[in-house]
Amino acid sequence: MIPQIQASNQTNSIIRNITIKTQSSLTYRDNGNNIIGKTDGLDAITQTVWHILGTERYAHPIYPEWYGFEAEKYKGQPFSYLEAQIENDLRSALLQDDRIYDIIISEITQLSIDSASVKFNVYSQEGIIEGMELEINV
């Protein structure tokens, strides 16, 4: 016999009373070498973006597997590979943070035979971070 589940008013009222609360963005402000106070809002999200992009994914056991950006995979690859893959990789890295909704690349430029620049905007719950630029070794 297959069990039958019947919805009741009690079950529906429980589901209606669930609220989702978003955590604060308040975190420590980092200037690269030192902690200098705290930051919140769009500045905190900007800092998070740079921390994620500056951490090689899978390279540091202290971070979970979903944290970081795979920059090393571009080394030795042609520029066309970067053009084809970079948007997906940026999304994969940055959309892990639930405060970030979207990433739009505005420009990809080959700087030299072994480096490229990617300009992009980050759309978050705190607003838009415009004109971000990431230099990648290819």
Side-chain angles (χ1 to χ4, degrees):
M1 178 176 193
I2 299 173
Q4 300 295 317
I5 299 172
Q6 296 179 352
S8 69
N9 289 339
Q10 184 180 9
T11 304
N12 291 338
S13 67
I14 291 171
I15 292 172
R16 283 189 207 118
N17 292 331
I18 294 175
T19 57
I20 298 173
K21 190 173 185 180
T22 304
Q23 292 286 336
S24 167
S25 292
L26 185 64
T27 188
Y28 293 101
R29 181 182 300 271
D30 170 354
N31 74 352
N33 297 322
N34 299 308
I35 303 297
I36 50 170
K38 293 187 178 185
T39 187
D40 199 3
L42 201 56
D43 286 340
I45 294 172
T46 302
Q47 179 175 285
T48 298
V49 167
W50 289 123
H51 277 257
I52 292 170
L53 295 179
T55 303
E56 183 65 30
R57 186 179 275 182
Y58 310 119
H60 309 284
I62 193 170
Y63 295 112
E65 291 181 359
W66 52 263
Y67 189 87
F69 176 69
E70 294 178 75
E72 291 292 317
K73 78 180 206 175
Y74 292 107
K75 286 187 178 176
Q77 297 294 333
F79 181 69
S80 59
Y81 178 76
L82 174 96
E83 286 180 307
Q85 291 289 280
I86 191 64
E87 187 164 12
N88 288 335
D89 290 342
L90 282 175
R91 285 178 188 278
S92 174
L94 298 178
L95 294 180
Q96 297 296 326
D97 189 315
D98 63 355
R99 300 170 297 173
I100 298 173
Y101 301 137
D102 202 5
I103 293 93
I104 304 293
I105 293 179
S106 58
E107 184 180 346
I108 303 173
T109 308
Q110 187 167 6
L111 301 174
S112 68
I113 194 164
D114 62 352
S115 69
S117 168
V118 180
K119 293 181 181 177
F120 59 99
N121 296 333
V122 175
Y123 296 82
S124 74
Q125 72 183 21
E126 298 290 339
I128 302 170
I129 307 167
E130 295 181 331
M132 299 199 82
E133 185 173 358
L134 176 65
E135 192 170 315
I136 299 175
N137 294 325
V138 290

